């Protein structure tokens, strides 16, 4: 599969480079057999190393030929529509095999600070973001180089996660003469300049967070309250959001997994009062946060995950590709500007030469005017023509400067329009937050009124219970009196003193008139 091979080409290059005897860029086929066999085993393809003997007629291969053999004989067994989760697992296993081959060259270094696990995690991040570039002096030699801007991106996140401040200006001065970094140089830069005197536990945690962000495409981590399906109560979980799934754990250590919510392009998310509603084809999940800011952050992160759930390359690979294309565009623009400045310099040089030629002609005319009138007129005509040429060059220069000023004014106008749009967006956001606060106030008032009505209902229930107890006592007293009368004279039936007076129960049941 071409996509998988493209994603792991940088790590395979490191293993290939570790098998070289020199810097010639070629490796013996006998050394490549073990690496090929291991890669084939990971992809359930066996015996692919045997074909190396018959591939090309040379005993050695350069990296381009070895990569072509892997594409045709090993990676072609995979389907082109392999899910992203399976691709990530295969990439991790291939990276691990390549790391076992090349790790000795990177672990044996002076003044090492990072442990082996952290170096391996940084190796995977490096291979994901770096570029495989050929050496123009030798067609057999390739290099895996990480651009200085990508080094700054990874290093800044690592430094800030350790609680230190990041200085962009200082880093640019440090790397202004180094457009790219190899992995060994990258490790040396980290350990010598940015990671000394750091706690080992903090280093491991920070590097793990960097690895999760770039390798596992983790968009956001944090605490959310999730409403249960059978018991509608809110329980606190630790959530990890990726473009394809939302996983939640019982603890922040991410050991006891409680569930996985699949995310695809058919999902959508919205907000209902203080809740976050994630709608999937199977069911709707309800979440809550402890504050308004976290709710907005999770809403934005969930929408971002849904929008990138259908990507086949991964979220961070897509961002890296965008940054790579932007660097290429910037480089082309820089070359174009350099060419424009060179043309303007050539024009100015031509103008200077024309002016010097005109001055020389004028001197010759001044020296020769007394000798021959005809020759003087001829020289005067040449001087006039030279001045015309000078005027043409000046007009051309003025037109170029005028166009430059027009472009600059247009740029300022666009910047002003962008500022106005940003201000309008901030105003709309403030209005939305104001309306949200009003709705939350109304909800709190309604909940307070509901609690008052509940207390009033409980009071009335208590009074009704007391009245029923009094009725029960009255009826027991009447029954006792009747029993007394019957014991005196069983043949006399006890009647009420006044037949027209209602019983106690009837008096309580009859509504009072006010």
């Amino acid at each position: 599969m071409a996509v998988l091979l493209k994603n792991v080409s940088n790590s395979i290059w490191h293993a290939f480079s570790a098998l070289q005897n020199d810097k010639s860029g070629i490796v013996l086929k006998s050394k490549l057999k073990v690496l090929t066999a291991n890669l084939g085993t990971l992809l359930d393809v066996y015996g692919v190393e045997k074909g190396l003997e018959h591939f090309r007629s040379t005993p050695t291969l350069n990296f381009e030929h070895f990569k072509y053999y892997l594409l045709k004989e090993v990676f072609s067994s995979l389907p082109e529509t392999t899910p992203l989760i399976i691709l990530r697992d295969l990439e991790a296993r291939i990276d691990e095999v390549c790391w076992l081959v090349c790790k000795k060259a990177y672990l044996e270094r002076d003044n090492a600070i990072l442990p082996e696990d952290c170096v391996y995690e940084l190796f995977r991040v490096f291979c994901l973001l770096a570029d495989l570039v050929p050496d123009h002096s030798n067609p057999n030699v390739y290099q895996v180089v990480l651009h200085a801007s990508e080094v700054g991106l990874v290093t800044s996140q690592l430094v800030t996660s350790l609680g230190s401040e990041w200085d962009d200006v200082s880093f640019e001065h440090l790397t202004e003469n180094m457009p790219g970094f190899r992995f060994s140089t990258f490790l040396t830069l980290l350990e010598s300049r940015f990671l000394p005197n750091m706690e080992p536990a903090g280093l491991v945690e920070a590097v793990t967070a960097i690895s999760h962000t770039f390798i596992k495409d983790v968009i956001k981590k944090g605490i959310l309250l999730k409403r249960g399906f059978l018991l509608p109560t809110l329980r606190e979980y630790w959530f990890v959001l990726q473009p394809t799934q939302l996983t939640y754990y019982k603890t922040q250590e991410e050991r006891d997994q409680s569930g996985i919510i699949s995310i695809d392009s058919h999902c959508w998310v919205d907000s209902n009062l203080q809740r976050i509603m994630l709608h999937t084809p199977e069911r709707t999940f309800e979440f809550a946060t402890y504050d308004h800011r976290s709710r907005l952050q999770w809403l934005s992160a969930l929408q971002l995950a849904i929008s990138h759930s259908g990507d086949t390359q991964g979220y961070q690979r897509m961002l890296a590709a965008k940054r790579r294309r932007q660097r290429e565009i910037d480089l082309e623009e820089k070359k174009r500007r350099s060419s424009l400045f060179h043309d303007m310099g050539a024009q100015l040089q031509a103008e200077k030469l024309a002016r010097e030629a005109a001055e020389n002609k004028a001197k010759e005319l001044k020296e020769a005017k007394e000798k021959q009138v005809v020759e003087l007129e001829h020289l005067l005509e040449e001087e006039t023509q030279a001045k015309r040429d000078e005027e043409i060059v000046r007009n051309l220069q003025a037109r170029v400067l005028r166009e430059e000023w027009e472009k600059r004014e247009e740029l300022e106008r666009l910047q002003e329009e962008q500022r106005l749009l940003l201000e309008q967006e901030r105003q709309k956001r403030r209005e939305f937050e104001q309306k949200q606060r009003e709705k939350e106030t109304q909800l709190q008032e309604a909940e307070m009124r509901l609690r008052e009505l509940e207390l009033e209902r409980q009071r009335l229930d208590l009074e009704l219970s007391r009245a029923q107890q009094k009725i029960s006592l009255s009826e027991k007293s009447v029954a006792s009196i009747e029993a007394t009368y019957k014991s005196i004279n069983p043949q006399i039936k006890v009647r009420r003193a006044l037949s027209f007076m209602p019983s106690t129960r009837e008096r309580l049941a009859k509504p009072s008139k006010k």
Side-chain angles (χ1 to χ4, degrees):
M1 185 180 183
V3 173
L4 178 59
L5 179 58
K6 179 182 177 182
N7 293 347
V8 298
S9 291
N10 291 342
S11 58
I12 293 176
W13 178 88
H14 280 90
F16 182 91
S17 179
L19 296 175
Q20 296 181 89
N21 292 328
D22 49 21
K23 301 299 182 180
S24 60
I26 57 176
V27 179
L28 292 172
K29 291 180 179 179
S30 58
K31 292 186 177 181
L32 294 175
K33 283 185 177 181
V34 177
L35 177 60
T36 306
N38 288 330
L39 295 177
T41 302
L42 292 177
L43 302 179
D44 291 331
V45 181
Y46 301 95
V48 290
E49 71 279 5
K50 298 177 182 178
L52 279 173
E53 292 293 338
H54 307 288
F55 178 67
R56 302 181 68 87
S57 58
T58 58
T60 59
L61 293 177
N62 62 19
F63 183 71
E64 188 66 24
H65 296 154
F66 181 59
K67 184 179 176 183
Y68 179 80
Y69 179 81
L70 292 178
L71 176 63
K72 294 299 181 182
E73 301 296 332
V74 181
F75 288 85
S76 59
S77 62
L78 290 176
E80 292 295 332
T81 57
T82 304
L84 184 59
I85 296 177
I86 298 178
L87 280 180
R88 283 205 188 104
D89 180 63
L90 291 174
E91 289 173 13
R93 294 161 66 184
I94 293 173
D95 287 346
E96 185 176 1
V97 168
C98 296
W99 174 249
L100 292 175
V101 177
C102 67
K103 68 177 183 179
K104 183 178 179 180
Y106 303 114
L107 295 181
E108 295 178 356
R109 60 192 190 278
D110 298 332
N111 301 320
I113 296 176
L114 293 167
E116 180 178 347
D117 292 341
C118 291
V119 177
Y120 172 62
E121 297 294 340
L122 290 175
F123 170 78
R124 296 197 64 196
V125 174
F126 180 90
C127 291
L128 185 145
L129 299 177
D131 299 319
L132 181 65
V133 295
D135 190 346
H136 299 291
S137 61
N138 188 344
N140 292 325
V141 178
Y142 284 81
Q143 295 291 336
V144 174
V145 178
L146 187 61
H147 195 269
S149 61
E150 300 292 336
V151 174
L153 176 65
V154 176
T155 308
S156 63
Q157 293 188 19
L158 187 60
V159 170
T160 53
S161 64
L162 290 170
S164 302
E165 294 185 359
W166 176 252
D167 188 354
D168 282 327
V169 178
S170 177
F171 181 79
E172 289 177 0
H173 287 311
L174 180 65
T175 60
E176 60 182 354
N177 296 324
M178 300 180 66
F181 289 76
R182 298 181 64 179
F183 184 59
S184 56
T185 312
F186 174 60
L187 285 179
T188 303
L189 176 68
L190 288 179
E191 294 182 326
S192 63
R193 187 63 183 266
F194 297 103
L195 300 182
N197 303 322
M198 294 294 180
E199 296 182 359
L203 283 176
V204 173
E205 183 177 353
V207 173
T208 302
I210 291 291
S211 175
H212 287 181
T213 299
F214 287 96
I215 302 301
K216 297 184 179 180
D217 282 339
V218 174
I219 298 177
K220 184 172 177 57
K221 291 184 178 183
I223 295 175
L224 280 176
L225 301 174
K226 176 181 174 295
R227 184 176 293 278
F229 181 68
L230 298 177
L231 297 177
T233 57
L234 292 174
R235 291 189 61 185
E236 181 181 285
Y237 294 98
W238 177 262
F239 282 81
V240 177
L241 177 62
Q242 296 171 275
T244 56
Q245 63 187 23
L246 178 62
T247 310
Y248 51 100
Y249 303 85
K250 292 182 180 180
T251 61
Q252 188 173 348
E253 287 74 18
E254 301 179 11
R255 295 175 182 173
D256 300 328
Q257 180 177 305
S258 299
I260 297 177
I261 302 173
S262 298
I263 296 177
D264 54 30
S265 57
H266 300 290
C267 302
W268 76 95
V269 63
D270 57 13
S271 177
N272 184 8
L273 295 178
Q274 294 182 347
R275 299 289 187 267
I276 299 173
M277 312 300 292
L278 176 60
H279 305 275
T280 66
E282 292 78 17
R283 55 173 285 201
T284 298
F285 296 89
E286 182 178 348
F287 307 100
T289 58
Y290 288 108
D291 54 73
H292 178 67
R293 181 179 179 183
S294 297
R295 183 165 60 86
L296 293 179
Q297 291 176 350
W298 274 104
L299 277 173
S300 176
L302 286 169
Q303 291 171 353
L304 180 64
I306 293 172
S307 63
H308 292 281
S309 59
D311 294 342
T312 58
Q313 283 291 308
Y315 176 60
Q316 288 296 333
R317 288 190 185 276
M318 183 201 66
L319 293 181
K322 282 186 177 180
R323 293 193 297 269
R324 189 177 296 111
R325 287 194 297 269
Q326 186 61 44
R327 289 196 298 269
E328 293 174 355
I329 293 172
D330 294 341
L331 181 60
E332 291 296 329
E333 182 66 18
K334 184 177 180 180
K335 289 181 179 178
R336 189 187 66 81
R337 291 181 180 178
S338 177
S339 177
L340 178 61
F341 290 149
H342 181 270
D343 293 341
M344 291 179 63
Q347 292 175 1
L348 293 174
Q349 184 66 22
E351 179 185 355
K352 181 179 179 181
L353 293 175
R355 186 182 298 112
E356 292 177 354
E359 291 176 354
N360 293 331
K361 290 293 182 182
K363 290 180 180 180
E364 292 175 1
L365 287 172
K366 184 178 180 181
E367 294 173 355
K369 67 178 180 179
E370 297 178 354
K371 295 181 179 180
Q372 191 175 4
V373 177
V374 178
E375 185 179 359
L376 177 61
E377 292 177 350
H378 180 67
L379 293 175
L380 286 174
E381 289 178 359
E382 290 181 353
E383 182 181 6
T384 303
Q385 183 62 37
K387 289 183 177 180
R388 289 197 191 97
D389 295 340
E390 181 181 0
E391 185 65 25
I392 291 173
V393 174
R394 289 184 181 275
N395 291 334
L396 179 60
Q397 181 184 14
R399 181 173 63 82
V400 172
L401 292 175
R402 184 169 61 253
E403 290 178 355
E404 181 182 358
W405 278 109
E406 290 175 355
K407 293 294 184 182
R408 183 175 298 174
E409 291 175 354
E410 182 180 2
L411 177 61
E412 293 176 352
R413 178 179 59 80
L414 291 175
Q415 289 176 346
E416 180 63 21
E417 291 178 357
Q418 183 181 16
R419 187 188 63 78
L420 293 175
L421 289 174
L422 289 174
E423 185 63 29
Q424 292 176 2
E425 183 67 23
R426 293 192 188 98
Q427 182 63 27
K428 290 180 180 179
R429 184 179 298 173
R430 287 194 292 270
E431 293 176 358
F432 172 79
E433 292 177 351
Q434 180 64 27
K435 290 180 180 180
Q436 188 68 24
R437 288 194 293 270
E438 294 176 357
K439 292 294 184 180
E440 291 176 353
T441 303
Q442 293 176 2
L443 177 61
Q444 293 175 359
E445 293 176 354
E447 290 176 348
M448 185 179 297
R449 179 57 182 166
L450 181 61
R451 287 194 295 269
E452 292 176 356
L453 292 175
E454 183 68 19
L455 293 175
E456 181 65 19
R457 184 184 63 78
Q458 293 176 359
R459 185 183 63 78
L460 293 176
D461 289 343
L462 181 61
E463 291 180 0
L464 179 59
S465 177
R466 292 174 179 174
Q468 289 177 349
Q469 291 177 0
K470 290 180 180 180
I471 291 172
S472 179
L473 292 174
S474 299
E475 288 178 351
K476 289 181 179 179
S477 299
V478 172
S480 176
I481 293 173
E482 289 177 353
T484 304
Y485 275 104
K486 287 182 180 180
S487 64
I488 296 173
N489 191 351
Q491 298 179 353
I492 298 177
K493 296 183 178 179
V494 179
R495 297 183 178 179
R496 299 183 183 275
L498 297 176
S499 61
F500 60 87
M501 295 184 64
S503 65
T504 305
R505 183 182 298 273
E506 292 173 345
R507 290 199 307 273
L508 292 176
K510 185 177 180 180
S512 63
K513 296 182 180 180
K514 294 183 182 180

